[in-house]
Every structure is written in structure tokens, then in C-alpha cells.
Amino acid sequence: MTEPRLLRDIASQPESLACVLRLHAGEGRGTLRHAADVVRSAGRVVVTGIGASLYAATPFYYRLAALGLHATIVESGELLHYLRDLCKDAAVIAVSRSGESVEIAKLIPALKQLGCLMVGVTNDAGSSLARGAECALTIGSLPDEMVAIQSYTGTVLALHLLAAEVGSDFAAARDGVERLIAALPEYISASVQAISEWDRFLDPAVPIHLLARGPSSASASEGALLFGETAKAAAFGMHAASFRHGPVELVDSAFRGLIFAPPGRARSLNLALARDLVRFGGQVRVIGAPGPDAAGLQLVPAPDVGEYLAPLAEIVPVQIAALRLAQLKGITAGAFRYAPQVTRDEVTF
């Protein structure tokens, strides 16, 4: 049987991430420093993207806030049509895998009129975004077939390194990334070997709720997108705190929940939520590092890394689960029916 291209993209992530790290620690370091200077010198920073690019930028946004910067993150369509004035006197970090998404392409001249400094983060050095930005940061990941897999984690990493440069902590960040990349091949291999273990959890007729806090909010949102794109299945990514304020009422024996609980300030809260949802009758899987505090929960192990690096690893089992659900439904994983890989029109497909 031919190996699905999506599976190859998942398995190639360590190589792809190594390419990203090599670029930004080597010949791309000057551009990284330039982008960091733009961010540091700005009174305010607006981070924008759409779809997987927006979610990949979420840990970066949290990191900027932790560094004490006045940062905002806004989806590009909303920024274009409603919130453009946020960008006055701000530096804009625009993130787009292709650099050609219609909202990004329209934002470039609009933001120039406002006199904004723009840092473009894209995987295509020749794209409209790269050409239109004052500073063009190439992600440097390997290309995907359709669904953003390598380019998603590559974007998370490129922005992680940019945040480290902003915080004058690049060397320590590089060391942490190198350790994670070294651990990923075995982790991905184990996740692939365990793919059938998702069969007891997945139900094509039941939506999945993905719940997280902090930087892992990226994984909840991206995970929901993966289930939609890969398996044509309904899924919802939410902040765990928001889920407690009402949506928890939908939990019953049919409920399926994925809760991200990396080491960090909110792990105990996320584990407590998982226990409550199990107590209410739901089926729950916790994605996070093993530990005695997770005893009694159905744990999907993830490498024990800090909460800002966790999104690079904890998305892997979700990628595998989405692939498995597509297989269970008998469809080609990640084959798009309506959307092109690059959306160039706001009106029609």
C-alpha cells in the first residue's frame, strides 16, 4: 500500500525543523536580527495571519507579551476590513505560508498607506509578502502537499527563534530546539505505530473539542483545523477557561475531548478540567508530558519541554489522529474538495 503523502509530511518534520534552525542560526541570522530590531523598537506590535499561519503565530504572541511588549494578534481578514487602525504607529508581523493569501496581499498596500513597518514571515522568498515587507523573514521549512504540516511547525519554530532574538536569548533557545529535534524522530515513530489506538476514541459522527490555555491554544486551534481539512470532520478549538463557562453543559457519554497539558503554569488547571469531563461521562485524552499529577487520565505522551516549545511537539498526535479519522472514513487524507492551497479570492472559490 502506498504511504499517504500526509504521513510522509508528518514524518519529515524533524528534517524540516532542522532546516529551519540551520537557516536562522546561520545565513538567515542577520535577517532574524533585523526583524527583532523592528519588533523591539516598535511601541506596539500587531501579529496577523489567517488559518494555520495565525495559529502558528499564537505562541509568538504569548512570548512577546511575556517579554513586556505591547502586542496584539488579529486574524488578517478582520484586520483588513475592521481593525486596520490598530496598525497605526505599530510594527506589523504578517505571517503567511505562501505570502499570497488574498487578505495578506490586500493588507500590504493598505498598511503602507498607514506608514507601518512590516515584517513578512513566509515560506516563499519571492512572494508578494516578501517583496512588500520592509523585512522579509523566510521560514525555511520543507514544503507540504496541501495541509500545512511541516510548514506549520516550521512557522512555529521560526517565530520562536525570532522571539528568542527579541529577548536576547537565542543561544538558549537554539539549545532547547536542538534537543527537541533530536527527540522528535522517535516520538513521531511511536505516534505512528500507535495510530490504531485512536480507533477507540474517534467517532466520525461526533465532533471533537480541543481545549488548551496559553501557547498551547495554538495546538487547539490548529488541531481543529487539521480535523476539518484532513478528515472533513467537525472539531472545535477553544480556550479551556471559556469551555468551563457554558459549553461544558454539552458533555455526555458521546463527548470527545482533547486537552493539552504541557508543563507550565496552567497544567494543573487543565488536568483538573480533564478529570471533571471524565467524571461527567465524556471520553477525554490528555496530550502532555507524563507525570504523577496525570495519574488516572488517558494520557497521550508528549516530550517534556517548556510551554513555549510544547506546540512544536504536541501537535504530532493530533496530526496522526486526523489522518486516522480520514482512514476510518475511507477518504483520502488531506485531499481538498473546495479550497485551493492558496486562497486568492475573498468572494468565491
Side-chain angles (χ1 to χ4, degrees):
M1 182 180 295
T2 303
E3 181 182 81
R5 169 60 194 267
L6 190 79
L7 183 56
R8 279 181 279 158
D9 287 345
I10 294 170
S12 295
Q13 286 176 107
E15 179 187 357
S16 178
L17 291 171
C19 290
V20 175
L21 180 60
R22 191 161 51 246
L23 171 65
H24 296 293
E27 64 182 274
R29 185 72 187 279
T31 304
L32 197 72
R33 287 178 172 139
H34 181 197
D37 287 341
V38 171
V39 172
R40 276 194 298 261
S41 63
R44 293 184 301 107
V45 180
V46 177
V47 182
T48 190
I50 201 160
S53 294
L54 178 69
Y55 308 144
T58 300
F60 174 68
Y61 158 69
Y62 277 92
R63 183 65 178 136
L64 292 184
L67 289 170
L69 278 75
H70 184 181
T72 305
I73 188 166
V74 185
E75 193 242 44
S76 299
E78 297 302 298
L79 189 64
L80 175 64
H81 294 294
Y82 290 99
L83 300 171
R84 212 180 301 175
D85 285 348
L86 285 175
C87 299
K88 289 179 179 177
D89 303 317
V92 177
I93 315 297
V95 186
S96 171
R97 170 173 63 165
S98 67
E100 300 291 351
S101 297
V102 57
E103 294 85 2
I104 292 289
K106 289 182 176 181
L107 271 172
I108 294 169
L111 296 181
K112 284 185 180 297
Q113 288 183 353
L114 292 174
C116 302
L117 282 176
M118 182 184 293
V119 175
V121 182
T122 176
N123 214 32
D124 186 346
S127 65
S128 297
L129 177 57
R131 295 194 308 271
E134 283 72 27
C135 176
L137 192 68
T138 303
I139 295 163
S141 75
L142 298 179
D144 299 302
E145 181 181 31
M146 286 293 286
V147 176
I149 300 291
Q150 298 170 103
S151 56
Y152 171 77
T153 49
T155 304
V156 174
L157 176 54
L159 290 169
H160 178 78
L161 296 172
L162 174 56
E165 192 70 59
V166 172
S168 302
D169 197 25
F170 184 86
R174 180 181 60 199
D175 290 345
V177 170
E178 286 175 344
R179 289 193 295 271
L180 177 57
I181 291 174
L184 276 179
E186 183 178 352
Y187 177 57
I188 292 174
S189 176
S191 298
V192 172
Q193 291 174 17
I195 190 171
S196 62
E197 294 183 12
W198 285 105
D199 295 5
R200 292 171 293 172
F201 176 79
L202 299 170
D203 183 339
V206 176
I208 297 171
H209 285 77
L210 299 94
L211 309 174
R213 297 175 188 250
S216 289
S217 300
S219 304
S221 297
E222 173 63 14
L225 179 62
L226 282 169
F227 279 110
E229 289 184 334
T230 303
K232 314 300 181 274
F236 304 94
M238 291 186 66
H239 291 287
S242 294
F243 186 81
R244 295 182 70 254
H245 285 253
V248 66
E249 287 297 321
L250 59 81
V251 179
D252 57 19
S253 60
F255 177 82
R256 301 294 192 275
L258 290 177
I259 296 182
F260 297 90
R265 70 192 74 180
R267 177 174 165 96
S268 62
L269 293 174
N270 295 333
L271 294 177
L273 175 62
R275 288 192 169 90
D276 279 340
L277 299 187
V278 171
R279 181 164 58 88
F280 298 155
Q283 293 198 40
V284 175
R285 299 293 184 271
V286 174
I287 300 177
D293 55 350
L297 293 169
Q298 290 281 331
L299 188 73
V300 180
D304 187 356
V305 294
E307 55 189 336
Y308 291 107
L309 267 183
L312 278 173
E314 65 192 7
I315 198 63
V316 169
V318 187
Q319 294 167 345
I320 298 295
L323 169 61
R324 184 57 176 168
L325 185 53
Q327 292 174 339
L328 293 173
K329 292 179 67 174
I331 63 176
T332 301
F336 285 12
R337 298 179 296 185
Y338 311 119
Q341 188 174 43
V342 180
T343 302
R344 300 175 185 269
D345 193 322
E346 283 193 283
V347 179
T348 187
F349 288 106

